Amino acid sequence: MINKKITGVIFDLDGVICHTDKYHYKAWKELADEIGVYFDEEINNRLRGVSRMESLEIVLERSEKIYSQKEKLALAERKNERYKLFLREMSPADLSDEVRVTLDELRSRGFKLTIGSSSKNAGFILGQIGLGDYFDAVSDGNNITNSKPHPEVFIKAADFAGLNPAECIVVEDAEAGLIAAKAAGMTAVAIGWAYDSEYADVSIKSFGELNLLC
Ligand code: BG6
Ligand code: MG
């Protein structure tokens, strides 16, 4: 149980609400293979929560070729086109019962529910899984200039929903997101890949545990 007043829950999207993180990995891996750059799951974990262009810079750390800004934009676009092919196959069946039921329970208990995601595809993904109009506010890669670990995306999520940051918890699967949450003055809850992170205030093994936390 979190020992302070909580009025809002801000959810990361990729890897928390749904498992698009595996599609990010596949799309980056395909691109990396095409341009002959080594890429694996360990490198992929550094991309969690990080913007598309910053992710590309990490992928290209192993490249012998130096790319111009124009070429980098084209590579990022190529990865995104691949990624969107996976997203097009998503449907409400990709929202687990546990996530859906927990969200409904939190809402019925009066919490404001918002999204804080670095992704520019967040709106599309939410529509695909049947949550297009569900959240009280969505703050995503389209309304920020600084990606996680900068706190901007969460500060804006709280602002859009009229929430006091100190009364928000953030649910994250990325260390960059946990750091961002704390920099925003919020409580950082780790799930999934970030479970063991030193930056977490609290860690949960399953999404349903949120109902016991707040
Ligand atoms: C985050 C993912 O949610 O969104 C990152 O964790 C990704 O891996 C980032 O790079 C940007 O996503 P998009 O959809 O705008 O390319
Ligand atoms: Mg994530």
Side-chain angles (χ1 to χ4, degrees):
M1 191 88 184
I2 291 166
N3 201 12
K4 64 181 187 184
K5 185 180 171 198
I6 300 296
T7 51
V9 186
I10 304 176
F11 299 93
D12 173 49
L13 179 63
D14 296 321
V16 172
I17 295 290
C18 56
H19 291 288
T20 38
D21 48 337
K22 66 187 177 212
Y23 301 140
H24 276 297
Y25 171 71
K26 283 185 179 178
W28 282 123
K29 176 74 179 143
E30 283 178 20
L31 180 78
D33 286 350
E34 277 170 21
I35 61 174
V37 171
Y38 179 78
F39 185 72
D40 62 16
E41 300 233 16
E42 204 178 318
I43 300 170
N44 184 65
N45 283 331
R46 292 174 55 208
L47 314 184
R48 289 177 189 272
V50 173
S51 74
R52 194 180 309 162
M53 290 308 288
E54 286 167 305
S55 295
L56 177 67
E57 293 295 345
I58 294 170
V59 172
L60 293 181
E61 279 173 8
R62 303 249 184 163
S63 169
E64 281 167 17
K65 181 177 168 185
I66 305 290
Y67 290 90
S68 68
Q69 191 54 23
K70 196 175 159 200
E71 287 170 324
K72 285 180 185 172
L73 286 169
L75 289 176
E77 183 56 28
R78 214 156 108 193
K79 180 266 173 178
N80 194 46
E81 286 306 315
R82 288 278 164 71
Y83 177 58
K84 284 197 300 191
L85 291 179
F86 295 121
L87 299 184
R88 277 189 208 120
E89 298 300 315
M90 292 182 83
S91 74
D94 288 293
L95 181 68
S96 74
D97 287 345
E98 182 180 8
V99 170
R100 191 175 38 76
V101 167
T102 305
L103 289 173
D104 286 346
E105 282 172 358
L106 290 169
R107 168 153 290 157
S108 71
R109 290 175 55 208
F111 296 107
K112 286 220 169 150
L113 307 180
T114 73
I115 292 287
S117 165
S118 304
S119 174
K120 293 188 171 173
N121 294 298
F124 182 71
I125 295 166
L126 289 170
Q128 291 294 89
I129 60 175
L131 293 179
D133 296 320
Y134 187 86
F135 290 94
D136 296 297
V138 174
S139 172
D140 64 24
N142 299 297
N143 62 254
I144 53 170
T145 45
N146 306 286
S147 168
K148 301 169 190 175
H150 193 284
E152 183 181 4
V153 74
F154 296 139
I155 289 170
K156 289 207 166 136
D159 186 40
F160 293 163
L163 289 162
N164 174 355
E167 296 177 5
C168 292
I169 66 168
V170 170
V171 188
E172 262 291 351
D173 73 321
E175 279 209 328
L178 296 173
I179 296 167
K182 294 177 78 72
M186 300 173 179
T187 302
V189 178
I191 192 168
W193 185 80
Y195 183 82
D196 289 321
S197 171
E198 61 183 295
Y199 300 105
D201 291 312
V202 190
S203 293
I204 53 173
K205 280 216 180 334
S206 70
F207 198 91
E209 285 176 50
L210 280 174
N211 250 320
L212 305 170
L213 266 189
C214 46

